[in-house]
Amino acid sequence: MGGATAWVRGSQWYPLPMLLVISTGVSGRAPAENVTDDQCLIWNERGHLSKRKGRKMKFLLLIAFIHFLPQCTGKPLSLDEHQHCHQQTFKEIKREIAGYSDIAKAIINLAVYGNAQNRSYERLARFVDAIGPRLSGSKNLEMAIKYMFSVLQEDSLENVHLEPVKVPHWERGEESAMMLAPRNHSIVILGLGSSVATPPEGITAEVLVVTSFDELHKRAQDAKGKIVVYNQPFISYEETVKYRLLGAVEAGKVGAVASLIRSVASFSINSPHTGWQQYQSDVPKIPTACISMEDAEMMARMSSRGTRIVVTLKMEAKTYPDTGSFNTVAEIVGSKYPEQIVLVSGHLDSWDVGQGAMDDGGGAFISWEALSLIKDLGLRPKRTLRLVLWTAEEAGGVGAEQYYQLHKGNISNFDIVMESDSGTFMPMGLAFTGSDKARAILKEIMQLLQPINVTNIYENGGETDTEYWVRDGVPGASLRDDISKYFWFHHTQGDTMTVQDPNQMNLCAAVWTVVSYVIADMEEMLPRN
Ligand SMILES: [Zn+2]
């Protein structure tokens, strides 16, 4: 969608300050995928994560131990050679996981009750208050990436770096909608991402209200020259979002001049909920915006009484050429299999309204918190724990797609891809996609979260940004939490820090950290199909 351009490390399009950042700021260590064992050993001896007494001795013993391990241990599971190697039985794996119970308790204690209590919340508040909303292609998003690049370095994480990508750049400009008949009424709207503008004087037309695409097709004759208003019921986001995505295309096909779409939301205080939409090249592009549930229902009532409705829609929306942006990356490099990756993530971009605190500030900041907690406990997992803060998710997973294209050659080294992008409210468990064997292992890992009673496993562990990997068979996990209020605020002016709760974020961070750490530290990668 939108910006699915090839990854180019061109220099002409990204701004000079960013060039300075990537050319001078990248820390001395090579990205984990390229780290050799030698580099790893040198760093371990100097590393700020290992200052305890006797560490050196333990370290030498560890090296000796590693030396005697079967050669294939920890190798990517997709290689044929693994068939000839010893693999742990499920009983052994169960025992191994149970052995992490003290570490899990330490993580929970630090995140929920200890020094790190409320840290991810406070970091997020400082960030969203300073930067505000961060739409793909905007100056704010560029500032947000610079901000994260510097705070991740200040947090002493490793391999902090930016990976350039090209992203869509759309701006809404001024916009308004006014009902002229049967009475004057100001309709609150938010233009949909990638919408075209109206002429400067606006579009004034009669309204046709429909409740479904079926009804629109049946009344196709009536739609010509009209503004189509969709008043579809909210069933679920997944089910109902098609009206936002395709409403303008379907209305354009039957000759409508604009479309206004009831916000895809479970609750409303006259709030429009924006989002991206898609045109088709063979269908006329008509301006499109979302309206509140209240206005959609009112126009539906008026029209069912046979009342003629006339609306003037004005939108300045404009699409600019794709622009330079970055996925932001930081790591804790693995001690034993540094080339193998456990990826934790959230997206840094947001809509251009509210503060993007919930979508997806919370997910991005609990993912950072996972690395911080592990570092603070002096832990270093066997595999590399990699934080990725995606850019341009809202424009269709654009940053994540280019990341996948760049790194998919290394897919056998990706142990699991994790993204939190469905809120950081009260956690309930983990959604997971992967083999039955991997699911059984995850179930055991979730038992480590008994102390905070978050042990459930659900289906569908892929999110927009991790789906590329999950489709190719990499196990995927996403955080599951109480989303009963998520679609109250989603893509609205109401998505602010006020929605977030520090205690819930502590619990989410604990879940995210225990799961990612244990998977990164277990002797074997998760089995694939
Ligand atoms: Zn999101």
Side-chain angles (χ1 to χ4, degrees), residues 263-483:
S263 290
V264 183
S266 57
F267 180 76
S268 178
I269 305 180
N270 204 35
S271 45
H273 297 233
T274 189
W276 215 259
Q277 67 94 38
Q278 298 161 354
Y279 287 124
Q280 280 172 20
S281 54
D282 55 342
V283 176
K285 294 179 179 176
I286 59 171
T288 184
C290 57
I291 56 175
S292 69
M293 263 158 89
E294 288 88 336
D295 280 336
E297 290 190 345
M298 181 177 74
M299 286 192 272
R301 290 194 302 273
M302 287 171 166
S303 112
S304 71
R305 294 179 201 121
T307 305
R308 181 172 169 269
I309 306 165
V310 177
V311 167
T312 297
L313 176 68
K314 285 186 187 171
M315 291 173 65
E316 288 182 349
K318 189 169 175 191
T319 298
Y320 296 86
D322 284 358
T323 182
S325 186
F326 302 88
N327 292 316
T328 306
V329 184
E331 294 179 338
I332 292 177
V333 176
S335 60
K336 187 172 174 188
Y337 310 118
E339 73 288 357
Q340 295 175 7
I341 308 297
V342 166
L343 189 150
V344 290
S345 67
H347 65 85
L348 203 58
D349 68 303
S350 74
W351 269 97
D352 59 342
V353 289
Q355 291 186 308
M358 180 191 80
D359 185 11
D360 181 30
F365 275 62
I366 64 157
S367 295
W368 171 19
E369 186 67 18
L371 272 67
S372 291
L373 290 168
I374 288 166
K375 174 182 64 75
D376 290 353
L377 286 167
L379 298 169
R380 179 179 291 283
K382 297 187 185 77
R383 284 178 199 85
T384 293
L385 196 59
R386 178 178 295 171
L387 167 71
V388 183
L389 303 175
W390 311 108
T391 192
E393 185 276 345
E394 297 293 359
V398 176
E401 205 220 330
Q402 290 171 59
Y403 180 89
Y404 167 76
Q405 295 300 342
L406 182 66
H407 295 277
K408 69 178 177 187
N410 196 28
I411 193 164
S412 60
N413 275 323
F414 280 73
D415 193 357
I416 185 169
V417 288
M418 298 169 58
E419 178 170 34
S420 166
D421 186 21
S422 300
T424 44
F425 296 103
M426 191 57 85
M428 292 153 53
L430 210 67
F432 180 73
T433 301
S435 66
D436 290 347
K437 276 187 190 165
R439 179 174 289 271
I441 291 170
L442 251 287
K443 213 172 152 196
E444 293 302 317
I445 294 173
M446 292 309 281
Q447 291 308 309
L448 298 169
L449 291 156
Q450 282 283 8
I452 52 171
N453 196 24
V454 188
T455 55
N456 293 335
I457 298 202
Y458 303 86
E459 300 293 325
N460 299 325
E463 291 272 11
T464 304
D465 297 310
T466 49
E467 197 54 44
Y468 304 99
W469 300 89
V470 174
R471 272 203 299 260
D472 276 357
V474 176
S478 57
L479 186 72
R480 274 294 174 90
D481 59 321
D482 172 14
I483 59 158

Side-chain angles (χ1 to χ4, degrees), residues 98-301:
Y100 285 103
S101 123
D102 285 346
I103 287 180
K105 279 182 199 144
I107 291 170
I108 292 167
N109 279 334
L110 181 59
V112 182
Y113 313 107
N115 284 340
Q117 188 185 46
N118 299 353
R119 181 169 61 189
S120 60
Y121 174 91
E122 278 154 18
R123 282 171 167 175
L124 176 59
R126 207 167 296 135
F127 169 74
V128 297
D129 289 345
I131 307 285
R134 310 170 293 282
L135 187 62
S136 174
S138 68
K139 278 267 172 291
N140 277 17
L141 178 56
E142 197 179 309
M143 272 159 49
I145 292 167
K146 276 187 205 168
Y147 181 108
M148 291 311 299
F149 181 80
S150 96
V151 293
L152 292 172
Q153 282 189 314
E154 279 163 28
D155 196 27
S156 308
L157 297 178
E158 296 155 19
N159 295 332
V160 178
H161 68 281
L162 304 175
E163 299 192 7
V165 294
K166 282 220 166 190
V167 301
H169 179 193
W170 172 88
E171 290 180 15
R172 72 175 61 256
E174 292 294 314
E175 53 187 20
S176 67
M178 186 59 115
M179 181 187 283
L180 306 177
R183 65 179 173 90
N184 281 353
H185 165 65
S186 173
I187 298 171
V188 57
I189 64 166
L190 279 175
L192 296 181
S194 82
S195 175
V196 295
T198 63
E201 70 278 14
I203 290 173
T204 300
E206 206 175 303
V207 161
L208 171 71
V209 183
V210 296
T211 53
S212 66
F213 288 141
D214 274 354
E215 186 183 352
L216 177 70
H217 298 142
K218 279 182 195 137
R219 301 178 67 186
Q221 294 301 323
D222 299 341
K224 204 165 171 14
K226 302 256 175 72
I227 294 174
V228 168
V229 168
Y230 292 95
N231 181 39
Q232 79 286 345
F234 179 78
I235 296 163
S236 68
Y237 186 72
E238 293 70 25
E239 172 80 21
T240 312
V241 74
K242 64 183 180 216
Y243 287 93
R244 188 192 80 210
L245 289 171
L246 301 171
V249 165
E250 292 304 314
K253 281 180 190 168
V254 293
V257 290
S259 61
L260 295 174
I261 293 148
R262 171 178 162 144
S263 290
V264 183
S266 57
F267 180 76
S268 178
I269 305 180
N270 204 35
S271 45
H273 297 233
T274 189
W276 215 259
Q277 67 94 38
Q278 298 161 354
Y279 287 124
Q280 280 172 20
S281 54
D282 55 342
V283 176
K285 294 179 179 176
I286 59 171
T288 184
C290 57
I291 56 175
S292 69
M293 263 158 89
E294 288 88 336
D295 280 336
E297 290 190 345
M298 181 177 74
M299 286 192 272
R301 290 194 302 273

